[in-house]
Amino acid sequence: MYNLNEYLTRKLRIDVFLKEQGWDINDPSMIRVEIDTKQSDFKRQDYKEATETLKNELESKYADYLLLDTKGDPLAIIEAKRTSKDPIVGKKQAEEYAEDILRKTGKSIFIFLSNGDEIWFWNWNHPIPYDRMRLIKGFYSRDNLERIRYQNENKIDFSRLKIKKEIINRDYQIESVNRVLDGIEKGRRKFLIVQATGTGKTRVSMAIIDILMNSKRVQKVLFLADRKTLRDQAFNDGFKVFFPNEAREKIFSGKLDKTKRLYASTIQTFMECYQQFSPGDFDLIISDEAHRSIYNKWKDVFTYFDAIQIGLTATPSDLVDRHTLRFFDCEDAPTYLYEFD
């Protein structure tokens, strides 16, 4: 299976990974392959394949995969390389295809780069620093990409929104939220908040959810805890109280309703079913008592999803180990620290 050529990489790896996320390689309303980005009329959805344009004398460039939205318009492209090649070498090619589509439609698309072993996601042509490429565990579903496109086109600046005083009203809580928002503005996607027991970690997390949802940057949220009492606290005292009109669900096991916006679960339960979701199904994941939840096999949950991740813990700062800090991309100190003293 190693050192596959590009054709086999696509057939045995990329096509399979796409199918796992609901993409049907045989459905031309979802995926087109070997599309000529020079000779296609993307605005009219007239997609010219290599077999149609390869032998004429006009300029041609061929995108390996073109993923279409529910209206049949371009949504993303995938640039494929053989397994022995670094997929990043296809970055310039992919950008040229995306620029062709942008010129003809006036709309930006997403870019994936893959060699069958690695998959990179690029929120292309999105303002710096949000356009950074990142390694992901699997392709996004069509719903995921349409949701992210909506966020790209409709997001509201944080400065236009206020933290709701009915959720939090203490200075240290507000500072904690602002530290996270400031980090998001700088392109960060991981945060660790250390607050002593009884100082309102759950309320802080609800205030963050509220701002991110109102700014249209987040639509799907997962709250994970390592104990049922913490899960129930987030669901009953958080979601129900502050988001009474949002569709929400407490995950136990078995069949999942993936249409909700707010989810709460124990990490133990979610570990058994997380792969029923796409890696792009959540915009925000909050982990309560994070220092206990990111180890051993539980860590797989956090590395599987491509989302903003916020860890919460009441563990004193001198007991937060280096691994926890590194996991949440904190070099020497948590994003915010409010200890008992």
Side-chain angles (χ1 to χ4, degrees):
M1 290 290 286
Y2 292 98
N3 199 22
L4 301 176
N5 62 32
E6 185 178 317
Y7 174 80
L8 290 177
T9 298
R10 289 166 59 173
K11 292 300 176 186
L12 300 181
R13 300 278 185 91
I14 294 176
D15 289 2
V16 173
F17 296 151
L18 285 168
K19 185 177 180 181
E20 288 175 353
Q21 305 308 330
W23 296 98
D24 184 351
I25 192 67
N26 298 311
D27 185 350
S29 71
M30 299 186 81
I31 300 180
R32 305 295 297 267
V33 296
E34 297 293 340
I35 294 300
D36 190 334
T37 62
K38 291 297 184 183
Q39 297 187 43
S40 293
D41 187 337
F42 292 99
K43 207 162 189 179
R44 294 176 54 197
Q45 300 182 359
D46 181 14
Y47 305 124
K48 301 292 187 183
E49 298 181 2
T51 53
E52 300 175 77
T53 68
L54 191 61
K55 294 184 179 180
N56 68 32
E57 296 181 356
L58 300 175
E59 183 182 6
S60 293
K61 284 184 180 178
Y62 299 105
D64 293 324
Y65 298 80
L66 176 68
L67 306 185
L68 305 176
D69 65 17
T70 49
K71 295 180 180 179
D73 291 322
L75 184 58
I77 56 171
I78 302 172
E79 175 61 20
K81 296 298 178 188
R82 64 186 303 152
T83 54
S84 60
K85 272 195 172 184
D86 184 343
I88 301 299
V89 302
K91 178 181 178 182
K92 183 61 179 175
Q93 276 178 277
E95 187 169 26
E96 289 175 355
Y97 306 147
E99 287 172 344
D100 287 340
I101 296 172
L102 175 62
R103 277 193 297 270
K104 296 179 180 183
T105 65
K107 295 181 179 180
S108 300
I109 61 169
F110 300 106
I111 293 174
F112 292 97
L113 308 174
S114 180
N115 65 358
D117 288 326
E118 293 183 359
I119 300 172
W120 289 80
F121 173 69
W122 189 6
N123 196 351
W124 179 76
N125 205 36
H126 200 45
I128 296 173
Y130 302 103
D131 67 342
R132 293 171 182 160
M133 287 194 302
R134 51 186 186 265
L135 187 64
I136 57 177
K137 290 290 187 176
F139 290 107
Y140 287 172
S141 69
R142 178 189 265 179
D143 286 345
N144 296 161
L145 292 175
E146 291 188 330
R147 191 184 76 247
I148 298 170
R149 182 176 62 184
Y150 172 84
Q151 294 166 2
N152 283 349
E153 294 173 351
N154 295 277
K155 72 176 184 179
I156 297 171
D157 194 275
F158 291 139
S159 63
R160 294 172 54 190
L161 302 170
K162 292 184 178 180
I163 296 172
K164 289 183 179 176
K165 295 298 179 69
E166 56 266 38
I167 302 179
I168 56 173
N169 58 12
R170 298 176 181 175
D171 289 345
Y172 69 86
Q173 295 171 333
I174 293 171
E175 175 63 19
S176 181
V177 173
N178 283 332
R179 291 277 185 94
V180 171
L181 299 182
D182 182 61
I184 291 173
E185 285 285 33
K186 293 176 180 176
R188 289 191 57 192
R189 294 177 61 80
K190 287 190 174 185
F191 306 89
L192 179 64
I193 295 174
V194 178
Q195 286 185 205
T197 301
T199 59
K201 292 193 303 300
T202 301
R203 280 181 170 262
V204 165
S205 66
M206 295 302 138
I208 292 171
I209 293 171
D210 181 72
I211 285 282
L212 292 180
M213 292 183 77
N214 286 332
S215 68
K216 303 189 187 305
R217 300 173 188 232
V218 160
Q219 291 167 278
K220 305 271 281 189
V221 178
L222 171 65
F223 190 104
L224 291 173
D226 69 337
R227 298 198 306 274
K228 292 179 181 178
T229 53
L230 295 175
R231 174 203 64 193
D232 293 344
Q233 180 182 349
F235 192 85
N236 298 324
D237 300 337
F239 291 168
K240 282 187 176 181
V241 173
F242 301 115
F243 309 100
N245 299 319
E246 296 293 351
R248 56 190 180 272
E249 179 162 288
K250 194 184 297 184
I251 297 175
F252 295 104
S253 61
K255 189 175 181 180
L256 299 171
D257 183 349
K258 296 171 67 175
T259 65
K260 307 297 185 182
R261 294 189 70 182
L262 304 173
Y263 296 83
S265 177
T266 62
I267 184 68
Q268 295 90 334
T269 296
F270 200 68
M271 183 69 199
E272 303 303 319
C273 62
Y274 74 94
Q275 287 182 314
Q276 294 182 42
F277 290 92
S278 161
D281 266 340
F282 295 105
D283 302 306
L284 172 65
I285 297 176
I286 296 175
S287 171
D288 203 357
E289 296 305 326
H291 65 287
R292 293 199 295 259
S293 301
I294 61 171
Y295 292 93
N296 304 319
K297 64 180 183 179
W298 293 350
K299 184 178 179 180
D300 292 344
V301 171
F302 298 94
T303 57
Y304 176 76
F305 290 103
D306 180 43
I308 295 171
Q309 296 186 10
I310 300 175
L312 309 174
T313 182
T315 300
S317 60
D318 57 349
L319 296 180
V320 175
D321 62 36
R322 300 297 304 174
H323 178 76
T324 303
L325 290 170
R326 285 196 300 270
F327 183 84
F328 288 100
D329 293 343
C330 299
E331 294 183 5
D332 300 311
T335 307
Y336 186 72
L337 173 64
Y338 190 79
E339 295 187 294
F340 186 75
D341 291 343

